[in-house]
Amino acid sequence: MNLIEKIALKALHQIDPERSHGLALMAMKAGVVPFSGLVTTDRIKTTFCGMDLLNPIGLAAGYDKNATVVDALTQAGFGFVEVGAVTPRPQPGNPKPRLFRLSEDQAVINRFGFNNEGMEAAAARLTRRSRRRPVPVGLNLGANKDSDDRAADFVRVFETCGPFVDFATVNVSSPNTEKLRDLQGADALRGVLSAVLGAREKQDKYTPIFLKIAPDLTDAELAELAAVAQEVNVDAIIATNTTLSRDGLQSRHKTEAGGLSGPPLFEKSTRVLARLSELTDARMPLIGVGGIASAEDAYQKIRAGASIVQLYSALAYKGLSLVEEIALGLDKLLERDGFDHVSDAVGTGRKDWL
């Protein structure tokens, strides 16, 4: 982290975290934020679900909910970027305050509730994004809070925005929309995924469809979910979203309602990741998310079974320069342990998490 970034982060941490994030997006849009550019080496350059990635470090959904700074983010060193979540109709989300820094834990609690400007606004911006940089951009699909048919909502967002993105994620794991996680049950999940996959068949291009799951599933629920994902041939699983657990927290905000992200989520999400890898005999491509704040964290996710990873919360504490730091640090760790390519390390430490 350079001096300017340290000063900027210190200043942003003096104000409300949601307003702080809004100001960061404004600065990115204005072009005053320095970016790492394209970050890659032969060891970390990889392919995932047909997408060529300069490195396996991605941005998780939630950072750019409305696809307002896509072009800037593709210059920030990420190998891929996910925007959203986006719902069919605009919605304000839950009442403020709804975002909390847990500085003592380097963590975040949010209860946004899919606040966004809707699929039409997102689609308009995604159609205008630059295609000059080889960084895939995906969209997190959401459902409106008051929807009577959430499966139909996912389909509508995909039909509207799908032509303009490189992958799409079915998000049935946010804890901040009432009963959304109920869609992780076998029958409901099969219906949602089948509907979105069916919509893909009607489009002119093949768009990989990912499923994002919660870290709070029981072993039986996880096994059921893995079976359904394989049955319908979803392209990959993202493990995991935020947690409702509050184990070991120190911050005064630890009792706030919402999803917890950051280092306190790392162990739980990595165990779910390793278990998924085992349940699917390492045949299902996996994306590791939850608590990544260093190259070592990313490496552990990969060794637990992830082919690629995503981060978000750590950026609030360490800035965007963290992306390049993790990518190049991962390269060094792979070299240290004798791996010629990142794909060679996938799943090599899975047993340590089971």
Side-chain angles (χ1 to χ4, degrees):
M1 186 188 303
N2 59 46
L3 180 60
I4 294 175
E5 196 169 33
K6 285 182 180 179
I7 294 171
L9 284 173
K10 186 174 181 179
L12 288 172
H13 278 222
Q14 303 306 308
I15 60 178
D16 170 78
E18 186 167 352
R19 182 165 177 252
S20 170
H21 185 68
L23 290 172
L25 292 177
M26 288 174 62
M28 293 177 70
K29 190 181 293 186
V32 299
V33 177
F35 295 117
S36 298
L38 304 179
V39 178
T40 193
T41 69
D42 288 342
R43 191 176 280 107
I44 61 174
K45 187 183 300 182
T46 192
T47 299
F48 185 80
C49 293
M51 298 183 296
D52 294 325
L53 310 181
L54 294 173
N55 67 65
I57 314 302
L59 176 65
Y63 189 94
D64 185 10
K65 292 179 180 294
N66 295 300
T68 58
V69 290
V70 175
D71 287 343
L73 289 170
T74 59
Q75 301 177 67
F78 293 106
F80 62 107
V81 169
E82 184 175 350
V83 300
V86 169
T87 57
R89 291 174 283 105
Q91 62 181 24
N94 294 322
K96 298 178 182 180
R98 54 194 180 183
L99 180 64
F100 305 88
R101 295 189 199 95
L102 283 69
S103 298
E104 297 88 342
D105 307 291
Q106 294 286 287
V108 172
I109 289 175
N110 91 81
R111 51 173 181 262
F112 282 118
F114 284 170
N115 58 308
N116 73 104
E117 296 172 7
M119 64 185 184
E120 298 293 347
R125 295 185 183 113
L126 289 166
T127 59
R128 297 193 298 267
R129 72 180 176 96
S130 172
R131 302 281 181 162
R132 290 176 296 174
R133 285 173 289 278
V135 178
V137 173
L139 180 69
N140 194 279
L141 311 176
N144 282 115
K145 181 177 182 179
D146 59 355
S147 174
D148 293 326
D149 187 345
R150 287 175 173 168
D153 277 15
F154 291 122
V155 169
R156 288 180 62 199
V157 178
F158 180 74
E159 287 176 339
T160 300
C161 301
F164 316 118
V165 294
D166 301 299
F167 66 91
T169 299
V170 177
N171 184 356
V172 293
S173 53
S174 171
N176 300 316
T177 296
E178 187 178 1
K179 297 184 178 181
L180 184 70
R181 287 190 171 188
D182 292 350
L183 296 178
Q184 293 177 121
D187 291 340
L189 182 62
R190 186 180 292 107
V192 169
L193 292 176
S194 296
V196 175
L197 292 169
R200 178 177 66 185
E201 297 303 313
K202 300 174 184 176
Q203 296 197 344
D204 294 334
K205 68 182 181 70
Y206 185 92
T207 304
I209 303 295
F210 304 157
L211 168 66
K212 190 167 188 175
I213 68 168
D216 305 315
L217 299 164
T218 66
D219 284 346
E221 289 169 336
L222 190 61
E224 187 176 67
L225 181 149
V228 172
Q230 292 179 100
E231 173 192 327
V232 301
N233 290 319
V234 71
D235 292 275
I237 298 176
I238 302 179
T240 66
N241 211 319
T242 57
T243 181
L244 295 173
S245 171
R246 296 293 186 267
D247 296 341
L249 298 181
Q250 302 177 45
S251 170
R252 64 187 176 89
H253 293 304
K254 63 184 179 182
T255 59
E256 292 289 347
L260 171 71
S261 58
L265 174 60
F266 182 82
E267 183 172 336
K268 173 176 276 197
S269 62
T270 308
R271 291 192 186 283
V272 170
L273 173 69
R275 179 65 177 141
L276 268 179
S277 178
E278 181 184 51
L279 286 166
T280 61
D281 294 325
R283 291 195 298 266
M284 172 64 71
L286 302 176
I287 303 172
V289 194
I292 296 174
S294 68
E296 180 61 39
D297 293 339
Y299 189 39
Q300 287 199 58
K301 294 282 189 187
I302 289 166
R303 296 192 69 239
S307 295
I308 59 177
V309 300
Q310 290 177 309
L311 61 126
Y312 175 4
S313 297
L315 301 176
Y317 294 97
K318 299 188 176 184
L320 280 168
S321 63
L322 178 65
V323 182
E324 181 178 22
E325 178 185 320
I326 290 178
L328 297 183
L330 176 61
D331 179 271
K332 291 178 180 177
L333 290 170
L334 292 164
E335 181 181 25
R336 180 198 69 186
D337 291 348
F339 293 113
D340 293 329
H341 190 262
V342 62
S343 60
D344 299 330
V346 175
T348 56
R350 185 177 73 186
K351 66 180 186 303
D352 297 335
W353 291 95
L354 296 174

